[in-house]
């Protein structure tokens, strides 16, 4: 697939997943990937801790846009800012100050369920409508929270049956349900719990909200060892056999390898093989239970120091897809 | 100060002597797994223990190998006994329960229990505004966590409550619950809605009405009516909520409660750990232990560089199996070395420079890390998703 077509196929990409799976990292890497194929990118962080900006060497994002790199801008959305802006734009401008000062704004955003989410989604929709970028990538809250976040328009429609907030909820729902405008990219690691959560979240997003799901990003996949076909899940006959107590001795006797080193090699081989096998089983389970395309991102044993390399890997994955 | 022994000893002291242990840290580091492992150890040492997760995710059930967990304490002593010899430990009195906070059920229960009469309870439970705040309102989760914690503590059923928190900075919001509740109840807008506070609100009457009308235009009059009705129906219950929240806060800041910061050996989670240390220090709460989880095991004393030289010297036609194994050993050793570097600030107590990791959030480390007992827990060769795996995690943390 042409990466550019992937990115422009929908305006808004909501990147979601369990905490710690690499959502923020991949949101940033996707942004770089899109910029590299010539697209204008807006990265959006929600009620953020500033993680997105730091990947570009910036401290924290504010409500106003910040230029993070060539063709990449970022901003952080907070519900309070969205509300003040919204009031100003809806003929309540004069009352904005007293409403803020009296604390009514705070009580409303804190006390009216889902209104925060609606304000945030409303802002995202406005950014989309204003065509402020070719691609809008949103680092959404961690998965349990993502569900309630994305479900809020539906919830508010039930609770609030008129007024501008109702209009907002309707509009937000239209955005969420339109595959040409919005899709969710679920991020997971190839581990038991994240995979289970991803499968459950995927079905619920589709069933309960009618969201369109893009490819699942499987992050932190251990590189294949040479001489080993990890894809089939079958061990290569060349693999060190964890039950073969002989290999170690053979290396010492026949190859003159230091005894401690031979032992370490054997232990490392068994350890690595178990972790890889466990990962493969989870990827298989994901494939069987969730019929969505996958994009795999390799584990970086030394940590992430180059988002550009991740971006290239994603682009490669998209082209091969 | 920083050594394994002090870490192990500190963890052992915590599970044997405290009444509450709270695990905090960023996502994916193993908070939930560690909370379960700490609880398991306490039970083995003879304490009546419960592990409580306030994360709406299913992870705790998964780590314990359970299909599901609910808002009521689920006894799992027997299950554990079968897989880890709980009963054959030093004391036969230990037990383990698990619970996943059900914020809505907890709230309903509180309303039912503390309402002056059935009618008041029913009015509240039927209110749409109440229904929404009790199910979806962010913040409700934290209040109810505090309520549940207080309830479990005062019930006297448990010697130790281990609390697993969600992977967000709001994880510690329940420390602020009483303050926020007090501020909220004292809020002019709240008094505006309930019509309480008499004199002041009567003076502010006209302006207040205008504001309420504006709010109604925003959220719709029906919703505002629901909200006002809810607050009126709720009147009289606030005091109890506040008293209980304050009691829980006192418990959390007291020496009965221990805080364990869990991290992995990467710059970002370590920076996050710094945030939690600062946040707790701001409330005069000391952190009792830092656990660096998922440490890549070291199989050799050789460095990755030395191993690479050895690998290069192996002749190309040599033993295929050996070469594969060496490649694996090199990768693991390099990862362990990167983790050592990431952990350096814990040992030196120095602030982590901003540029160190791509997602670094700036230097938070005002609290000297090196004074906090520190324990490493190795990355296991499997995920923690059943009792066998959990037992292995427990052993790595507690047994020499
Ligand atoms: N492919 C990868 N290889 C190695 N480390 C990774 C990878 N992806 C993410 N990480 C690291 O994992 C941690 C969590 O990533 P982050 O993007 O902050 O997760 P989330 O936003 O989902 O909580 C960070 O320390 C990050 O550098
Ligand atoms: N020491 C360990 N070795 C291997 N895997 C671990 C270890 N500790 C935790 N895990 C795994 O790491 C993942 C995250 O653990 P979890 O306890 O859910 O973290 P958190 O609650 O901080 O998000 C899970 O898949 C779990 O199985
Ligand atoms: Mg993140
Ligand atoms: Mg957890």
């Amino acid at each position: 697939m042409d990466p550019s077509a992937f990115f422009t196929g929908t305006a808004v990409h909501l990147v979601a997943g369990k905490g710690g799976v690499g959502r923020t990292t991949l949101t940033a890497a996707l942004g770089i990937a899109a910029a590299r194929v010539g697209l204008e990118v807006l990265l959006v962080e929600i009620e953020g801790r500033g993680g997105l900006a730091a990947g570009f060497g910036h401290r924290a994002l504010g409500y106003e846009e910040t230029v993070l790199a060539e063709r990449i801008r970022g901003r952080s959305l907070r519900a309070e800012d969205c509300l003040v802006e919204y009031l100003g734009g809806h003929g309540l401008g004069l009352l904005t100050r007293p409403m803020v000062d009296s604390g009514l704004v705070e009580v409303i955003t804190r006390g009216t369920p889902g209104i925060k989410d609606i304000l945030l989604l409303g802002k995202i929709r406005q950014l989309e409508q204003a065509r402020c970028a070719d691609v809008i990538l949103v680092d959404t809250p961690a998965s349990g929270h993502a569900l309630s976040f994305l479900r809020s328009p539906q919830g508010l429609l039930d609770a609030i049956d008129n007024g501008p907030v109702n209009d907002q909820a309707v509009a937000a729902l239209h955005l969420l349900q339109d595959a040409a405008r919005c899709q969710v990219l679920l991020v997971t690691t190839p581990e038991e719990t994240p995979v289970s959560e991803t499968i459950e979240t995927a079905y619920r997003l589709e069933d309960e909200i009618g969201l369109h799901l893009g490819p699942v990003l499987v992050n932190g996949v251990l590189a294949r060892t040479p001489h080993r076909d990890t894809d089939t899940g079958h061990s290569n006959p060349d693999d060190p056999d964890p039950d073969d107590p002989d290999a170690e001795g053979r290396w010492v006797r026949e190859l003159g390898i230091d005894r401690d080193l031979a032992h370490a090699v054997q232990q490392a081989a068994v350890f690595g093989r178990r972790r890889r096998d466990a990962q493969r089983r989870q990827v298989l389970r994901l494939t069987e239970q969730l019929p969505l395309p996958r994009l795999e991102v390799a584990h970086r044993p030394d940590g992430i120091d180059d988002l550009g390399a991740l971006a290239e890997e994603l682009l490669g994955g998209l082209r091969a897809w | 100060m920083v050594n394994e022994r002090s870490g192990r000893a500190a963890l052992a002291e915590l599970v044997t002597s405290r009444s509450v242990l709270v695990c905090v840290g960023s996502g994916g580091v193993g908070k939930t797994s560690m909370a379960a492992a700490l609880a398991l150890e306490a039970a083995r040492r003879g304490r009546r223990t419960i592990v409580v997760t306030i994360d709406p995710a299913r992870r705790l059930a998964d780590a314990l190998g359970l299909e599901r967990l609910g808002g009521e304490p689920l006894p799992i002593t027997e299950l554990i006994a079968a897989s880890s010899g709980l009963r054959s430990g030093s004391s036969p009195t230990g037990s383990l329960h698990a619970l996943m906070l059900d914020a809505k059920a907890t709230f309903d229960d509180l309303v039912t229990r503390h309402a002056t009469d059935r009618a008041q309870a029913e009015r509240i439970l039927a209110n749409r505004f109440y229904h929404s705040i009790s199910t979806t309102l962010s913040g409700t989760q934290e209040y109810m966590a505090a309520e549940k914690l207080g309830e479990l503590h005062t019930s006297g059923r448990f010697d130790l409550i281990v609390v697993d928190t969600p992977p967000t900075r709001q994880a510690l919001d329940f420390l602020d619950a009483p303050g926020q509740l007090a501020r909220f109840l004292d809020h002019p807008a709240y008094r505006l809605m309930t019509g309480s506070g008499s004199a002041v609100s009567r003076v502010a009457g006209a302006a207040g009405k205008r504001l309420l009308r504006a709010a109604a235009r925003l959220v719709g009059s029906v919703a505002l009516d629901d909200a006002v009705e809810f607050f009126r129906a709720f009147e009289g219950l606030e005091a109890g909520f506040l008293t209980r929240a304050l009691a829980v806060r006192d418990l959390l800041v007291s020496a009965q409660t221990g805080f364990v910061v869990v991290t992995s050996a990467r710059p970002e989670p370590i920076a996050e750990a710094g945030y939690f240390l600062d946040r707790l220090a701001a409330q005069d709460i000391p952190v009792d232990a830092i656990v660096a989880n998922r440490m890549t095991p070291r199989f050799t004393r050789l460095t990755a560089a030395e191993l690479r030289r050895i690998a290069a010297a192996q002749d190309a036609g040599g033993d295929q199996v050996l070469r594969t194994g060496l490649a694996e050993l090199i990768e693991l050793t390099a990862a362990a070395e990167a983790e050592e570097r990431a952990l350096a600030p814990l040992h030196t107590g120095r602030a982590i420079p901003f540029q160190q990791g791509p997602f670094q959030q700036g230097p938070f480390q005002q609290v000297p890390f090196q004074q906090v007992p520190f324990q490493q827990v190795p990355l296991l060769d499997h995920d923690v998703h059943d009792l066998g795996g959990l037992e292995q995690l427990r052993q790595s943390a507690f047994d020499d």
Side-chain angles (χ1 to χ4, degrees):
Chain A
M1 172 176 216
D2 171 23
S4 169
F6 167 78
F7 284 117
T8 54
T10 57
V12 179
H13 302 254
L14 303 168
V15 185
K18 183 183 190 284
V21 294
R23 220 174 42 244
T24 304
T25 307
L26 292 190
T27 305
L30 283 166
I32 295 173
R36 286 196 180 176
V37 294
L39 301 169
E40 283 293 327
V41 179
L42 179 69
L43 299 179
V44 175
E45 183 175 68
I46 297 208
E47 310 258 314
R49 344 172 305 193
L52 253 184
F56 296 88
H58 285 250
R59 252 177 201 257
L61 295 172
Y63 190 66
E64 302 303 328
E65 280 185 10
T66 308
V67 176
L68 293 172
E70 205 188 335
R71 286 196 291 274
I72 305 179
R73 288 161 293 142
R75 61 191 295 173
S76 174
L77 301 184
R78 285 192 324 135
E80 279 77 10
D81 297 325
C82 295
L83 178 58
V84 169
E85 187 181 298
Y86 178 83
L87 291 171
H90 283 76
L92 294 167
L94 276 180
L95 280 172
T96 304
R97 259 244 85 78
M99 278 178 82
V100 172
D101 289 346
S102 71
L104 202 57
V105 162
E106 195 191 330
V107 171
I108 287 177
T109 53
R110 276 184 171 273
T112 312
I115 196 165
K116 269 192 162 177
D117 305 337
I118 284 298
L119 289 164
L120 292 163
L121 285 169
K123 182 67 192 176
I124 292 169
R125 191 189 69 95
Q126 186 218 322
L127 294 170
E128 178 245 357
Q129 292 286 293
R131 296 188 193 289
C132 67
D134 301 317
V135 186
I136 300 174
L137 287 157
V138 184
D139 184 357
T140 41
S143 61
H145 306 280
L147 252 180
S148 67
F149 174 62
L150 296 171
R151 239 186 350 212
S152 57
Q154 193 68 63
L156 263 190
L157 281 183
D158 299 338
I160 298 180
D161 38 22
N162 61 44
V165 168
N166 179 279
D167 301 343
Q168 286 280 303
V170 171
L173 202 57
H174 283 159
L175 169 68
L176 294 182
Q177 292 175 337
D178 187 344
R181 294 166 66 199
C182 178
Q183 72 173 354
V184 176
L185 303 175
L186 289 170
V187 182
T188 186
T189 49
E191 292 175 292
E192 175 92 17
T193 308
V195 164
S196 302
E197 255 187 55
T198 300
I199 295 167
E200 188 187 326
T201 307
Y203 282 102
R204 292 184 64 180
L205 289 173
E206 209 174 69
D207 296 348
E208 295 174 20
I209 308 169
L211 267 155
H212 177 73
L213 298 166
V216 177
L217 305 171
V218 184
N219 188 28
V221 178
L222 292 167
R224 299 163 191 204
T225 40
H227 321 300
R228 175 123 191 259
D229 183 3
T230 40
D231 232 7
T232 60
H234 293 304
S235 311
N236 188 298
D238 281 345
D239 246 21
D241 177 354
D243 302 322
D244 173 14
D246 250 20
E248 234 179 285
R250 211 174 55 235
W251 297 334
V252 175
R253 278 191 316 273
E254 295 171 15
L255 300 172
I257 302 283
D258 172 72
R259 184 169 296 280
D260 289 345
L261 177 59
H263 185 60
V265 168
Q266 177 82 346
Q267 280 185 305
V270 172
F271 183 84
R273 168 209 193 93
R274 293 213 176 122
R275 286 206 64 82
R276 272 169 238 276
D277 287 352
Q279 280 206 348
R280 274 300 128 191
R281 279 196 300 277
Q282 295 307 327
V283 174
L284 277 178
R285 192 160 70 90
L286 183 67
T287 321
E288 280 166 16
Q289 296 184 25
L290 194 62
L292 288 174
R294 274 178 294 126
L295 277 177
E296 294 192 4
V297 178
H299 175 65
R300 305 290 197 271
D302 309 345
I304 309 270
D305 52 13
D306 182 9
L307 284 172
L310 281 185
E312 285 305 326
E313 197 182 338
L314 286 165
L315 286 171
L318 284 170
R319 289 194 186 102
W321 178 20
Chain B
M1 193 71 188
V2 175
N3 65 57
E4 291 277 304
R5 199 148 292 284
S6 87
R8 272 188 220 286
L11 290 180
E13 190 269 332
L14 288 173
V15 295
T16 42
S17 68
R18 305 295 170 103
S19 311
V20 179
L21 283 180
V22 184
C23 291
V24 296
S26 59
V29 296
K31 270 183 311 297
T32 307
S33 312
M34 279 311 302
L38 291 170
L40 179 54
E41 176 70 15
R44 285 175 57 97
R45 287 171 184 252
R47 303 189 81 199
R48 296 169 306 155
T49 312
I50 183 165
V51 51
V52 176
T53 186
I54 50 182
D55 192 353
R58 279 194 325 209
R59 171 66 195 146
L60 180 61
D62 242 24
L64 295 167
L66 301 171
E67 264 309 308
R68 65 178 73 248
L69 261 183
E72 286 307 312
L74 180 75
I76 49 176
T77 313
E78 297 307 323
L79 283 174
I80 303 271
S83 72
S84 75
L86 178 59
R87 296 266 175 195
S88 62
S90 50
S91 163
T93 55
S95 64
L96 187 58
H97 283 70
L99 178 154
M100 180 169 90
L101 179 72
D102 181 340
K104 164 112 176 91
T106 306
F107 210 156
D108 287 355
D109 190 43
L110 282 167
V111 167
T112 312
R113 231 172 331 137
H114 296 289
T116 40
D117 52 32
R118 276 272 297 277
Q120 184 189 25
E122 274 162 19
R123 255 198 329 277
I124 296 174
L125 295 179
N127 181 280
R128 282 204 300 189
F129 183 82
Y130 168 76
H131 183 78
S132 314
I133 59 167
S134 60
T135 47
T136 57
L137 182 62
S138 59
T140 304
Q141 191 79 10
E142 286 75 23
Y143 281 133
M144 291 308 133
E147 285 277 2
K148 197 75 197 177
L149 183 57
E151 180 196 317
L152 291 169
H153 181 67
T154 48
S155 77
R157 286 177 66 193
F158 302 103
D159 303 318
L160 174 65
I161 305 166
V162 183
V163 184
D164 166 42
T165 58
T168 61
R169 293 197 158 183
Q170 288 84 56
L172 288 177
D173 278 2
F174 66 88
L175 290 173
D176 296 337
Q180 284 202 14
L181 194 56
R183 269 197 300 282
F184 186 75
L185 297 174
D186 208 31
H187 214 289
Y190 171 73
R191 283 189 270 127
L192 203 67
M193 283 190 177
T194 55
S196 66
S198 56
V200 187
S201 61
R202 240 176 278 125
V203 173
K209 288 222 179 68
R210 191 142 40 86
L211 287 181
L212 282 179
R213 264 205 308 280
R217 264 172 72 190
L218 187 68
V219 297
S221 54
V222 179
L224 197 72
D225 288 347
D226 281 343
V228 170
E229 200 190 293
F230 166 74
F231 286 120
R232 295 213 168 118
F234 202 70
E235 269 192 299
L237 288 186
E238 314 93 298
F241 271 76
L242 196 54
T243 312
R244 289 191 302 278
L246 284 168
V248 171
R249 214 248 322 258
D250 289 348
L251 170 66
L252 287 171
V253 302
S254 79
Q256 286 188 69
T257 299
F259 281 84
V260 177
V261 172
V262 185
T263 185
S264 59
R266 293 172 188 239
E268 303 80 14
I270 288 171
E272 238 356 58
Y275 165 82
F276 282 112
L277 261 72
D278 281 353
R279 171 83 200 264
L280 289 167
Q283 313 224 7
D284 287 325
I285 301 174
V287 168
D288 298 278
I290 298 178
V291 173
N293 187 27
R294 304 190 58 145
M295 298 288 298
T296 305
R298 287 239 187 207
F299 296 109
T300 173
R301 252 185 243 138
L302 298 169
T303 65
E306 287 166 337
L307 289 169
R308 284 198 188 97
R309 275 197 293 280
I310 293 174
Q314 283 292 308
D315 88 82
D319 191 318
Q320 202 80 282
V321 182
L322 176 62
R323 278 203 321 207
T324 314
L326 252 178
E328 192 83 66
L329 184 61
I330 291 170
E331 189 178 316
L332 291 170
T333 306
E337 286 170 1
E339 290 168 2
E340 273 309 312
R341 284 194 298 276
L343 283 180
L346 294 189
H347 301 284
T348 60
R350 266 205 313 270
I352 307 167
F354 178 60
Q355 268 78 15
Q356 190 165 325
F359 289 108
Q360 197 68 41
Q361 322 228 338
F364 297 108
Q365 291 71 18
Q366 270 120 50
V367 185
F369 270 126
Q370 79 273 27
Q371 290 172 8
V372 182
F374 171 73
Q375 172 68 48
Q376 301 193 6
V377 174
L379 177 69
L380 304 173
D381 62 14
H382 53 75
D383 296 348
V384 181
H385 62 86
D386 56 25
L387 292 173
L390 185 61
E391 168 61 12
Q392 234 175 304
L393 186 67
R394 184 200 66 75
Q395 282 174 17
S396 320
F398 285 94
D399 299 351
D400 283 310

